[in-house]
């Protein structure tokens, strides 16, 4: 009996680990066998819903490359006039390089900016031809969703602006043989061509002596007047001046550097803040990936005013705007001797220096001039370092003695006296 019990214990000790291992393997294999059935069920459900089946947790889809964007969430459509379209108000007569309507399509850096922003918003760009003076009314009446056409970013009661997409400035263009004009103040007393109602026309009103303004209704007439020698210079936006300079770089030249920078932005109705925010985000993405800089460089408009966010080397660099050295023989008009007041209370742009501000602090007089006009400095009177010794006091000379009076002549005897 004891022998039988001992043999059974030996058998149990020998086969028990194998039995336990078989039980564990059966429990592990059961979920793995059920997995294909569950995956087939999910695949069938996805196919019934029209979705593409996803790979299992051990397939290629389980390994995602770094930086894979998250799936886009469903969002409400942007509030635009026509679903799926972005209606953009532009002036087709703006001229190069802003916007030009052609047979083969729209040409200009503003047209390219508008198309790029609409593409990033998944909208189709539709340009609405509008006169420049009616751009804001087109937004107010709902004929357009946004206006992109040389609109200065400033406070406006009816519209709001995006961040600037271009910083414009004013430039002076003269003929290559012109030797009298090298900067803005040299336009005094000259014939200057520009467009009517522009910023350049307002600048000419502030120059004294007042130049003769040759005003035009379009952007090409000022350059034609310069070619026909009907004007001495052209004062317009630097983008237009550079575009014209490219046509004949040997016949014209820039007079000095561009002046008075002003930012341009896209205008949206104040009642549509969602569209304004979406346009700002699209423009920010364009700056980040370099598309904004590439568009400006393709038209030769990239300069120090536009920033250095995307240092991409252009195929052909922009037209240099370095100032032209004034020859020694050219006469420089002297500034006015005193500050002059002109209309609307504005003052001349280049006032004469104040005498007491140009002197050193130690030599500054204690009292300022009482007159409002700026007086020329008085010439300094030389003064000896030491005074000569005073002469001793001398008594006044004595008066000469009075001579004695001559004796009186004797009186004549009376008549009849012997």
């Amino acid at each position: 009996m004891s022998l039988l019990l001992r043999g059974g214990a030996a058998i149990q000790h020998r086969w028990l680990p194998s039995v336990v291992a078989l039980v564990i393997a059966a429990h592990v294999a059961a979920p793995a066998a059920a997995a294909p059935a569950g995956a087939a069920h999910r695949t069938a459900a996805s196919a019934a819903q029209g979705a593409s089946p996803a790979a299992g947790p051990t397939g290629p889809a389980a390994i995602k490359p770094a930086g894979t964007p998250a799936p886009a969430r469903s969002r409400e459509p942007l509030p635009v006039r026509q679903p799926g379209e972005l209606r953009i108000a532009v002036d087709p007569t703006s001229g190069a390089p802003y916007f030009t309507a052609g047979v083969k399509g729209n040409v200009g850096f503003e047209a390219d900016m508008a198309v790029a922003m609409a593409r990033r918003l998944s909208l189709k760009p539709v340009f609405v031809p509008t006169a420049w003076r009616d751009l804001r009314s087109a937004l107010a009446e709902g004929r357009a969703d946004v206006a992109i056409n040389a609109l200065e970013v400033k406070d406006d009661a009816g519209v709001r602006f995006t961040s600037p997409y271009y910083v414009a400035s004013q430039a002076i263009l003269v003929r290559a043989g012109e030797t009298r004009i090298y900067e803005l103040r040299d336009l005094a007393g000259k014939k200057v061509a520009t467009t009517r109602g522009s910023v350049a026309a307002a600048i000419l009103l502030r120059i004294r002596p007042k130049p003769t303004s040759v005003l035009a209704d379009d952007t090409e007439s000022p350059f034609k007047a310069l070619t026909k020698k009907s004007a001495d210079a052209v004062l317009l936006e630097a983008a237009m001046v550079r575009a014209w300079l490219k046509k004949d770089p040997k016949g014209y030249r820039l007079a000095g550097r561009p002046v008075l920078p002003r930012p341009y932005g896209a205008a949206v109705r104040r009642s549509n803040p969602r569209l304004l925010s979406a346009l700002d985000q699209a423009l920010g993405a364009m700056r980040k990936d370099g598309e904004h800089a590439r568009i400006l460089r393709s038209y030769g408009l990239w300069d120090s005013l536009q920033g250095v966010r995307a240092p991409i080397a252009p195929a052909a660099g922009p037209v240099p705007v370095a100032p032209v050295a004034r020859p020694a023989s050219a006469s420089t008009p002297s500034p006015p001797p005193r500050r002059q007041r002109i209309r609307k209370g504005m003052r001349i742009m280049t006032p004469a220096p104040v005498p007491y501000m140009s002197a050193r602090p130690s030599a500054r007089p204690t009292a300022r001039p009482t007159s409002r006009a700026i007086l020329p400095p008085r010439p300094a009177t030389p003064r000896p370092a030491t005074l000569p010794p005073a002469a001793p006091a001398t008594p006044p000379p004595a008066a000469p003695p009075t001579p004695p009076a001559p004796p009186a002549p004797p009186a004549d005897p009376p008549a009849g006296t012997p």
Side-chain angles (χ1 to χ4, degrees):
M1 185 66 181
S2 61
L3 184 60
L4 292 176
L5 292 175
R6 189 179 303 171
I11 294 173
Q12 183 179 5
H13 178 72
R14 180 180 299 177
W15 295 104
L16 183 60
S18 300
V19 173
V20 172
L22 290 175
V23 172
I24 294 175
H27 280 281
V28 172
H41 176 71
R42 289 193 300 270
T43 304
S46 301
Q49 297 178 1
S52 59
T58 58
I63 303 175
K64 295 184 179 181
T68 302
R73 298 181 180 179
S74 60
R75 58 180 183 181
E76 298 181 2
L78 292 174
V80 292
R81 188 173 183 270
Q82 294 290 340
E85 293 182 356
L86 182 64
R87 299 179 64 84
I88 307 165
V90 293
D91 186 0
T93 63
S94 298
Y98 287 92
F99 187 92
T100 303
V103 178
K104 297 183 180 180
N106 302 314
V107 181
F109 81 94
E110 286 187 329
D112 295 350
M113 289 281 183
V115 171
M117 286 189 284
R119 184 184 68 249
R120 291 175 183 268
L121 298 180
S122 302
L123 297 175
K124 177 184 177 182
V126 177
F127 294 99
V128 181
T130 310
W132 188 86
R133 60 179 178 273
D134 298 332
L135 292 176
R136 288 175 173 80
S137 61
L139 294 176
E141 296 170 3
R143 291 185 281 116
D145 303 313
V146 60
I148 304 177
N149 199 185
L151 293 175
E152 183 180 358
V153 177
K154 59 182 180 180
D155 293 335
D156 197 298
V159 299
R160 296 181 63 185
F161 291 92
T162 62
S163 57
Y165 61 84
Y166 178 66
V167 180
S169 55
Q170 307 296 317
I172 306 172
L173 184 70
V174 296
R175 291 183 292 272
E178 180 63 56
T179 58
R180 300 171 299 169
I181 302 174
Y182 292 90
E183 54 186 337
L184 189 62
R185 66 178 183 179
D186 293 343
L187 299 178
K190 308 295 190 301
K191 290 184 179 181
V192 185
T194 186
T195 54
R196 195 183 310 275
S198 62
V199 176
I203 295 174
L204 295 178
L205 297 177
R206 303 176 58 185
I207 301 177
R208 290 295 183 273
K210 185 178 179 182
T212 302
S213 301
V214 182
L215 302 179
D217 295 328
D218 58 317
T219 56
E220 292 188 3
S221 296
F223 299 104
K224 294 179 180 179
L226 181 63
T227 304
K228 297 178 181 179
K229 298 184 178 181
S230 302
D232 301 323
V234 169
L235 180 62
L236 275 177
E237 293 194 0
M240 299 181 182
V241 171
R242 289 172 180 169
W244 187 269
L245 185 60
K246 285 184 178 180
K247 299 179 181 180
D248 189 6
K250 295 183 179 180
Y252 304 93
R253 68 171 177 85
L254 290 176
R257 292 182 178 273
V259 295
L260 299 179
R262 297 179 302 117
Y264 286 166
V268 183
R269 290 189 302 273
R270 282 190 172 270
S271 59
N272 199 348
R274 286 189 54 206
L275 180 60
L276 178 67
S277 177
L279 290 173
D280 265 331
Q281 293 178 6
L283 191 56
M286 291 171 59
R287 291 194 184 97
K288 187 175 182 180
D289 60 20
E291 185 176 8
H292 172 263
R294 284 192 294 269
I295 292 176
L296 294 181
R297 289 181 187 275
S298 64
Y299 291 90
L301 301 177
W302 184 263
D303 53 21
S304 59
L305 297 177
Q306 314 306 326
V308 291
R309 301 182 183 223
I312 302 175
V319 178
V321 295
V324 180
R326 183 189 295 271
S329 59
S331 60
T332 304
S334 58
R338 60 183 61 194
R339 199 183 298 265
Q340 300 178 4
R341 291 180 178 273
I342 58 178
R343 67 178 62 179
K344 293 186 179 180
M346 296 185 295
R347 297 190 175 185
I348 200 160
M349 299 174 61
T350 56
V354 184
Y356 58 82
M357 291 297 291
S358 59
R360 293 179 299 176
S362 59
R364 184 177 300 175
T366 56
R368 295 186 176 184
T370 57
S371 175
R372 294 177 63 93
I374 300 175
L375 303 177
R378 297 181 180 180
T381 303
R383 187 175 181 180
T386 59
L387 297 177
T394 56
T402 304
D412 295 335
T417 305

